[in-house]
């Protein structure tokens, strides 16, 4: 496993009316933040909220990123998304949508402009598959070893992008 240092999104939680923007970069951080200390509970689900692209912007701003661990992690993650948000993607650490997850939400469904962003350094070196939703039908992923454009869900990003994605764009094609 390689280690990379990368500057990721600026938090805009205050601008979005949210009271806290939590940026976790590992499941261990999620354990302490969610109050779960039982090491046997390893299921981790995260929620990331993106702002819509503003005119002239090239990268969507991350409004919030929270993680939950344990048997109820999926339910906690789902309830952490604001009611007005739309689920856009679900990232998975393993092929065929297995392993740990982050659910990515936006303020509106995908359109032709879509959303573009960089996964944080923890996800950048672990992302292997993802589901698209919320009207998103197309995605583009880029990493140090190559890039690819996909239609629909992606059960495996391929050998060139596996565990090496530093940029994603999603949109309605």
């Amino acid at each position: 496993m390689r280690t990379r240092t990368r500057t990721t999104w600026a938090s805009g939680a205050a601008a979005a009316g949210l009271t806290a923007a939590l940026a976790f970069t590992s499941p261990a951080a999620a354990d302490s933040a969610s109050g779960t200390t039982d090491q046997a509970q390893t299921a981790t689900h995260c929620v990331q909220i993106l702002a819509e692209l503003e005119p002239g912007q090239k990268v969507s701003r991350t409004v919030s990123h929270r993680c939950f661990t344990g048997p109820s992690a999926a339910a906690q993650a789902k309830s952490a998304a604001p009611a007005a948000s739309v689920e856009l993607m679900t990232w998975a650490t393993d092929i065929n949508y297995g392993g740990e997850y982050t659910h990515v939400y936006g303020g509106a469904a995908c359109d032709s402009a879509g959303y573009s962003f960089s996964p944080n350094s923890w996800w950048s070196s672990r992302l292997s598959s993802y589901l698209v939703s919320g009207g998103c039908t197309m995605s583009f992923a880029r990493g140090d070893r190559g890039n690819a454009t996909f239609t629909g869900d992606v059960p495996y990003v391929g050998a060139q992008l596996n565990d090496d994605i530093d940029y994603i764009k999603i949109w309605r094609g």
Side-chain angles (χ1 to χ4, degrees):
M1 177 172 87
R2 69 179 181 279
T3 303
R4 288 193 264 182
T5 303
R6 176 184 327 264
T7 301
T8 57
W9 319 280
S11 172
L18 298 175
T19 58
L22 305 174
F24 298 111
T25 57
S26 73
D31 285 344
S32 62
S34 66
T36 302
T37 56
D38 183 356
Q39 303 256 344
Q41 298 175 339
T42 59
T44 299
H45 290 260
C46 298
V47 175
Q48 180 167 331
I49 312 295
L50 299 174
E52 294 178 60
L53 280 174
E54 299 292 331
Q57 275 187 324
K58 300 228 186 266
V59 178
S60 302
R61 181 177 43 83
T62 294
V63 175
S64 175
H65 187 184
R66 296 184 62 195
C67 295
F68 304 91
T69 303
S72 63
Q76 288 176 303
K78 187 145 187 84
S79 68
S85 63
V86 175
E87 186 166 7
L88 304 171
M89 296 184 82
T90 301
W91 301 339
T93 56
D94 299 336
I95 64 170
N96 297 316
Y97 323 112
E100 298 182 50
Y101 299 94
T102 284
H103 303 276
V104 180
Y105 291 83
C110 269
D111 57 14
S112 60
Y115 294 81
S116 60
F117 48 95
S118 296
N120 65 28
S121 59
W122 191 89
W123 271 106
S124 181
S125 63
R126 288 170 178 80
L127 187 57
S128 295
S129 63
Y130 56 84
L131 300 163
V132 292
S133 55
C136 302
T137 58
M138 303 291 296
S139 62
F140 171 82
R142 179 187 69 210
D144 292 336
R145 299 184 308 257
N147 60 66
T149 300
F150 302 98
T151 301
D153 295 333
V154 182
Y156 180 54
V157 296
Q160 285 187 317
L161 290 170
N162 189 46
D163 299 337
D164 183 40
I165 294 179
D166 59 20
Y167 173 82
I168 297 173
K169 177 167 177 65
I170 52 175
W171 70 97
R172 176 179 291 163

